[in-house]
Amino acid sequence: NAGVTQTPKFQVLKTGQSMTLQCAQDMNHNSMYWYRQDPGMGLRLIYYSASEGTTDKGEVPNGYNVSRLNKREFSLRLESAAPSQTSVYFCASSLGAWTEAFFGQGTRLTVV
Amino acid sequence: QKEVEQDPGPLSVPEGAIVSLNCTYSNSAFQYFMWYRQYSRKGPELLMYTYSSGNKEDGRFTAQVDKSSKYISLFIRDSQPSDSATYLCAMKGGAQKLVFGQGTRLTINP
């Protein structure tokens, strides 16, 4: 049982480049989330999708876009990467909105 | 003031010790309380989940909620080196967003 799968696991980007982080869950969950984790800042919510077809901004949405492709998949796009976006990104899913969340293994992104 | 405050540590204790991890919060609407464990370079995993006040025990782990003081705790008995991780508290009220603490980095020394 894979749970929440994120790709890639590691990525180095140059400033100004774009990329998409992929996330898929196989638990038939309705809600999905993107967080970033930085030292001393804890987990901060970037965007979330309470249900298929809906997306909403979280605490730190600037510089990001998301797509809820279907019930299983929720992608995060950086259109023009900046060094401030260097972080570890976690995708999570839950059966209902804001119920117990299950996390992926994370994507370590460095922007140089 | 942050809605959830958690001492980031680091906290280092000898093997076999009782560990107490704590969070305080300011939002009186919070009713659901969770503890996540995060090993180095891994995603957080749900460890304990409690609703409202009281205690919940699972093996060596006990989660305690005191809503009157807006204070939650996680106790680890007979701590093991494998318990070394970062522990994050999380909480919410009703349909509100889940709010995470900063995380406490714990090391159990053999």
Side-chain angles (χ1 to χ4, degrees):
Chain A
N1 193 355
V4 179
T5 303
Q6 292 182 235
T7 54
K9 288 186 171 52
F10 304 92
Q11 184 71 49
V12 178
L13 288 179
K14 293 182 179 178
T15 297
Q17 286 185 319
S18 62
M19 81 160 294
T20 300
L21 280 64
Q22 306 286 353
C23 175
Q25 53 90 10
D26 62 3
M27 296 176 282
N28 201 33
H29 284 172
N30 294 303
S31 302
M32 298 185 74
Y33 317 85
W34 277 105
Y35 290 90
R36 60 178 288 174
Q37 187 175 41
D38 302 290
M41 302 293 290
L43 283 164
R44 292 185 291 171
L45 183 67
I46 305 171
Y47 270 94
Y48 67 100
S49 172
S51 61
E52 187 179 357
T54 68
T55 60
D56 284 288
K57 295 178 180 179
E59 185 184 353
V60 288
N62 291 345
Y64 305 95
N65 283 300
V66 291
S67 295
R68 183 75 183 265
L69 303 169
N70 48 55
K71 190 172 184 178
R72 290 186 64 246
E73 299 173 287
F74 189 39
S75 63
L76 179 71
R77 183 160 178 84
L78 286 70
E79 291 292 351
S80 180
S84 61
Q85 293 178 305
T86 293
S87 186
V88 181
Y89 292 85
F90 287 102
C91 177
S93 71
S94 63
L95 183 60
W98 311 112
T99 57
E100 308 94 282
F102 294 82
F103 286 80
Q105 293 299 290
T107 295
R108 292 185 172 272
L109 176 67
T110 301
V111 183
V112 298
Chain B
Q1 183 189 3
K2 292 182 180 179
E3 275 192 294
V4 178
E5 298 277 1
Q6 184 176 9
D7 186 339
L11 181 62
S12 182
V13 301
E15 183 176 355
I18 296 174
V19 177
S20 173
L21 303 167
N22 311 294
C23 289
T24 59
Y25 62 94
S26 58
N27 189 338
S28 58
F30 286 155
Q31 296 176 292
Y32 300 88
F33 304 92
M34 304 168 201
W35 285 96
Y36 284 82
R37 178 175 60 195
Q38 185 177 19
Y39 290 117
S40 180
R41 297 184 173 267
K42 300 290 186 182
E45 57 177 337
L46 184 65
L47 190 60
M48 299 282 283
Y49 177 87
T50 55
Y51 171 70
S52 195
S53 285
N55 293 359
K56 183 174 182 178
E57 191 173 316
D58 184 1
R60 296 184 295 109
F61 298 89
T62 299
Q64 192 172 80
V65 175
D66 182 349
K67 290 189 72 179
S68 62
S69 300
K70 296 190 179 69
Y71 189 87
I72 69 170
S73 300
L74 177 70
F75 297 97
I76 307 174
R77 291 183 300 280
D78 187 24
S79 56
Q80 304 294 310
S82 59
D83 296 327
S84 298
T86 295
Y87 290 81
L88 300 102
C89 63
M91 51 195 79
K92 75 182 196 83
Q96 295 174 5
K97 297 183 181 66
L98 199 58
V99 181
F100 283 88
Q102 209 176 339
T104 300
R105 188 173 174 183
L106 172 67
T107 300
I108 309 297
N109 300 302

